[in-house]
Amino acid sequence: MAEGETKLTGQDLAKGIPLESLPDGQMLVGHAYGKAVLLVRTAGDVFAVSPHCTHYNGPLAEGLIVGETIRCPWHHASFDLRTGEAVRAPALNSIACWEVTAQGGWIKVGKKREQPEPRIPIESPAKPERIVIVGGGAAGFAAAEMLRRVGYQNSLVMLSSDAALPYDRPNLSKDYLAGTIPFDYVPLRNESFYKENGIELQLGKNVAGLDLSAHEVLLSNGETVSYDRLLLATGAEPVRLTIPGAEQPHVHALRSLADSNAIIAAVKTSKQAVVVGASFIGLEVAASLRERKLKVHVVAPDKRPMERILGPDMADFIRALHEEHGVIFHLETKPKAIDKVVHLENGESIEADFVVVGIGVRPRLELAENAGLRVDRGVAVDEYLETSAPRIFAAGDIARWPDLHSGENIRVEHWVVAERQGQAAALNMLGERAPFDQVPFFWSQHYDVPINYVGHAETWDEIQIDGDIKKKDCTLRFKHNGRVRAVASIFRDLESLQAEAAMEHKVAA
Ligand SMILES: Cc1cc2nc3c(=O)[nH]c(=O)nc-3n(C[C@H](O)[C@H](O)[C@H](O)COP(=O)(O)OP(=O)(O)OC[C@H]3O[C@@H](n4cnc5c(N)ncnc54)[C@H](O)[C@@H]3O)c2cc1C
Ligand code: FES
C-alpha cells in the first residue's frame, strides 16, 4: 500500500503532544495533515518521518532505532532520521520527513520537508572519467544508483548480459512466481531513471574479457569499452543437472526474470511439478507453485531440508510447514534421469509436467580468472572491495571479502549483501576508502513464514533456541566456542535487528 493510503491511526501530531509522553528511545505512530507520521525521540532530538519502509512497506514503528537512524524490521533497511535517506539497502528510496517544533513542553509536527539532498557529495580526489559496471543485478544496480546519488557526474556505463532492466531477483521465486504481485513491482527502476541519471545501461551485452593493460572491457560482439574504474558484479549462475534428460525444455533453472517467466508459462498447462533441491530457492518455488494450486514434489539428497544452514529443528519445522501445504518430499535420493517422468535413484518415478532445478549456484568468475585477478573460491577483495588489480572492484555473489564479524574471508549469496557491497564499492571507486563492515543478512519466505538470518555460521557447536519453532515464534543462536556467529528468527524481527546491531557493535569495538 502506498504512503497515505493506510488508515490513519493515533493522535493528530500537528496539534501536538506533551514531550514527556514520548520518552527517549521511543516511537509513536500518529498522523499529520492526512498522512501517517512516525515520531521518534532519540539522542535528545525528536524526528517525524513516514512510518512506511520504501522497500516493501515494512512497519518502521516495529523497527530499531540506532543512533539517528531507524532500521526496518522486515529486511533491515536503514533510514537517516534527519534526512530520510535510505542509508542501507534493500531500501533505495528515502522516506518523507516533517519539521518538528518543541515549545513549552509540547512537540508539534510542522510542514513536510523538501526531500533533502542526500549525503554530502563526495569530493573525489580521483574523479574517474569513466566508471564501468559489469552486471545489472543487485550489486551493479546499487553501485550505479549510489554513484549518482553522491554526485558522481562523469561517464557511467552499466553492461548487463540480461535483456531486462535490473529487477528484484528475490521476488522471482516468491510473490511474482506465486502470481500475487503484478510485473510492475519487479523492475528496480523504470527506463526513465537511467536516462534521467545519465546511466548508460547496455542490456543484452555480454562481457567476454578484460584487458588490464589497456583498461578496457571486451564485449562478445567485438566492441570494447574503456574504464578508469571497473566494478565486476557478475553474480552467480545455477548449477545444472548432468543426468540424461536434463537438457529438455521442460527442465528449468531459476536465476533470471526470463527463467521465472518460463516457469509461469509452464504452470498454465501443468498440473504437477517436480522441484529438484530442497534449498531456499527450491522450497520458495515449491511454496509459490502450491499457491498456484499445482501438485508439487520435492526431491533432494538431504536428510532434512536446509539443515546445513539452519540446523535440524528448524529443518524439521520447514519440512512440516511445506507438508502442511501439500508438498510431497522425496529425501535422501536424487533424480537419475528425466523423460516424461523423473526417475529417482531410490527406484521411485514421479510424473512431472515440468521440473525446476534448484541445486545451488556457482559464482561467475571467468572474467576475473582469465584476467589473472586473485581468485579464491570467489574474487578475492580487500575490505574496500578492491581486487588484486588496482582500480578494479568486485561485489555481490562473486566477491570473497574479509568479514570483520566472523574474522574470516567469506562469500555469500544474499541480496542485501550484494546491494550494500555495490554501494560501498561505488564510494570506494570515488576514493572514499569506506570499508565494507556490515554484518551479512538474508531473508527467505515460505507461505506466510519469513525467516531472517544475520551473521554467518558455516559451522557451529551449539544452537540455542529461544521460543517455540513450531509456533513460529523463535530465535536460534548458532554458536561456536560460546560465541554467537549467526542468529535465525521467525516473527522476532526486533530481536533479529538487535542481534545485528550487537554484532556490529562488537566489530566496531
Ligand atoms: C530466485 C532467487 C531468489 C532469491 N531470493 C533471495 C532472498 O530471498 N534473499 C536473499 O538474501 N537472496 C536471495 N537471492 C540471492 C540474490 O538474488 C543474490 O545474492 C543477488 O542477486 C546477487 O547479486 P549480484 O549483483 O552479485 O548478482 P546478480 O543479481 O545475479 O546479477 C549479476 C548480473 O551480472 C550479469 N552478468 C553476468 N555475467 C556477465 C557478463 N559476462 N557480462 C555482462 N553481464 C554479466 C547478469 O546478467 C546479471 O545482470 C535469490 C536469488 C534467486 C535467483
Ligand atoms: S520492507 Fe523494509 S527492508 Fe524490506
Side-chain angles (χ1 to χ4, degrees):
M1 206 180 297
E3 188 202 337
E5 285 177 20
T6 33
K7 210 167 148 253
L8 299 178
T9 55
Q11 304 176 56
D12 184 348
L13 302 171
K15 289 187 178 156
I17 59 163
L19 179 61
E20 64 185 22
S21 67
L22 185 67
D24 200 51
Q26 299 291 311
M27 299 186 246
L28 178 75
V29 181
H31 56 93
Y33 316 109
K35 296 279 184 202
V37 171
L38 176 68
L39 269 189
V40 183
R41 187 169 175 190
T42 176
D45 247 321
V46 181
F47 302 96
V49 295
S50 164
H52 307 296
C53 175
T54 55
H55 178 228
Y56 293 169
N57 224 8
L60 295 179
E62 293 166 28
L64 183 71
I65 304 165
V66 180
E68 286 192 0
T69 65
I70 184 154
R71 294 188 185 179
C72 176
W74 286 359
H75 316 109
H76 296 202
S78 174
F79 299 91
D80 187 314
L81 287 164
R82 215 168 267 287
T83 65
E85 185 182 0
V87 289
R88 279 184 183 208
L92 298 168
N93 292 333
S94 56
I95 49 171
C97 300
W98 284 262
E99 306 279 356
V100 180
T101 53
Q103 219 175 15
W106 277 70
I107 36 176
K108 275 188 192 175
V109 171
K111 64 178 194 317
K112 199 169 177 178
R113 287 205 210 138
E114 290 295 310
Q115 278 297 309
E117 280 294 310
R119 280 178 185 267
I120 301 154
I122 286 179
E123 272 309 314
S124 161
K127 288 203 178 56
E129 275 302 305
R130 177 181 288 147
I131 296 180
V132 174
I133 298 171
V134 183
F141 175 82
E145 194 275 342
M146 182 57 82
L147 283 165
R148 289 306 190 216
R149 204 196 292 187
V150 297
Y152 173 66
Q153 288 179 347
N154 291 344
S155 171
L156 178 51
V157 180
M158 194 187 211
L159 303 162
S160 175
S161 54
D162 202 313
L165 290 174
Y167 46 81
D168 185 354
R169 202 174 300 279
N171 244 325
L172 302 183
S173 52
K174 304 181 184 69
D175 290 347
Y176 181 63
L177 184 61
T180 52
I181 55 159
F183 174 74
D184 298 2
Y185 285 36
V186 176
L188 292 171
R189 288 284 197 277
N190 58 28
E191 214 168 343
S192 58
F193 169 83
Y194 302 93
K195 288 204 179 96
E196 283 160 16
N197 286 281
I199 300 170
E200 197 188 315
L201 176 62
Q202 298 191 29
L203 297 175
K205 290 282 177 76
N206 188 61
V207 175
L210 309 177
D211 183 338
L212 299 195
S213 50
H215 295 149
E216 282 177 349
V217 300
L218 319 169
L219 274 59
S220 300
N221 64 6
E223 291 171 27
T224 56
V225 183
S226 63
Y227 63 82
D228 296 309
R229 298 284 182 283
L230 177 66
L231 176 64
L232 297 177
T234 46
E237 61 194 335
V239 174
R240 309 270 166 181
L241 280 179
T242 51
I243 57 172
E247 299 301 323
Q248 298 173 88
H250 76 295
V251 180
H252 300 266
L254 176 52
R255 182 74 192 181
S256 66
L257 178 59
D259 295 336
S260 190
N261 283 336
I263 297 170
I264 291 168
V267 165
K268 291 187 181 133
T269 53
S270 301
K271 291 205 167 86
Q272 173 156 302
V274 169
V275 174
V276 180
S279 61
F280 285 105
I281 289 179
L283 291 184
E284 286 183 354
V285 168
S288 294
L289 296 180
R290 287 298 300 140
E291 195 84 45
R292 287 183 180 265
K293 309 285 180 246
L294 260 71
K295 204 164 173 190
V296 179
H297 293 257
V298 172
V299 177
D302 321 58
K303 195 167 166 202
R304 297 181 168 99
M306 299 197 281
E307 181 178 9
R308 195 179 54 77
I309 299 164
L310 295 173
D313 299 279
M314 189 73 112
D316 285 342
F317 162 76
I318 288 166
R319 176 181 179 162
L321 175 70
H322 281 272
E323 283 175 338
E324 271 167 34
H325 284 82
V327 172
I328 301 157
F329 282 92
H330 306 260
L331 297 174
E332 298 184 77
T333 188
K334 287 186 200 166
K336 63 175 182 190
I338 303 173
D339 41 46
K340 283 196 174 131
V341 299
V342 179
H343 301 276
L344 306 187
E345 284 179 354
N346 69 1
E348 284 180 80
S349 299
I350 315 165
E351 280 186 28
D353 296 314
F354 66 91
V355 177
V356 181
V357 180
I359 54 172
V361 295
R362 222 178 260 126
R364 286 168 144 157
L365 305 177
E366 305 79 20
L367 290 178
E369 274 170 347
N370 294 342
L373 304 186
R374 197 161 76 76
V375 168
D376 164 24
R377 296 160 297 143
V379 181
V381 293
D382 63 15
E383 67 265 49
Y384 307 108
L385 304 170
E386 195 162 12
T387 67
S388 57
R391 303 186 190 186
I392 302 182
F393 293 74
D397 283 6
I398 59 167
R400 183 171 290 277
W401 84 99
D403 171 44
L404 296 176
H405 177 250
S406 63
E408 292 160 8
N409 292 331
I410 66 170
R411 189 187 71 75
V412 301
E413 290 144 12
H414 306 347
W415 178 255
V416 167
V417 172
E419 287 187 317
R420 293 177 182 177
Q421 287 189 342
Q423 294 174 330
L427 300 179
N428 289 326
M429 286 192 287
L430 298 180
E432 170 107 334
R433 306 297 281 169
F436 180 74
D437 56 5
Q438 298 185 30
V439 169
F441 166 79
F442 77 81
W443 83 97
S444 184
Q445 181 84 28
H446 305 256
Y447 313 98
D448 59 339
V449 178
I451 299 169
N452 280 5
Y453 183 101
V454 291
H456 183 75
E458 276 172 33
T459 54
W460 59 83
D461 49 33
E462 183 195 346
I463 303 177
Q464 182 193 318
I465 303 175
D466 292 337
D468 190 332
I469 300 178
K470 287 191 184 133
K471 288 188 177 152
K472 304 172 191 169
D473 173 26
C474 60
T475 307
L476 277 66
R477 291 187 172 75
F478 298 82
K479 295 183 172 180
H480 187 72
N481 290 335
R483 177 164 173 255
V484 178
R485 297 180 73 108
V487 175
S489 58
I490 297 175
F491 289 124
R492 293 227 181 156
D493 294 339
L494 191 55
E495 268 187 57
S496 175
L497 283 168
Q498 285 164 340
E500 179 186 63
M503 287 178 196
E504 287 175 356
H505 190 70
K506 274 201 187 119
V507 166

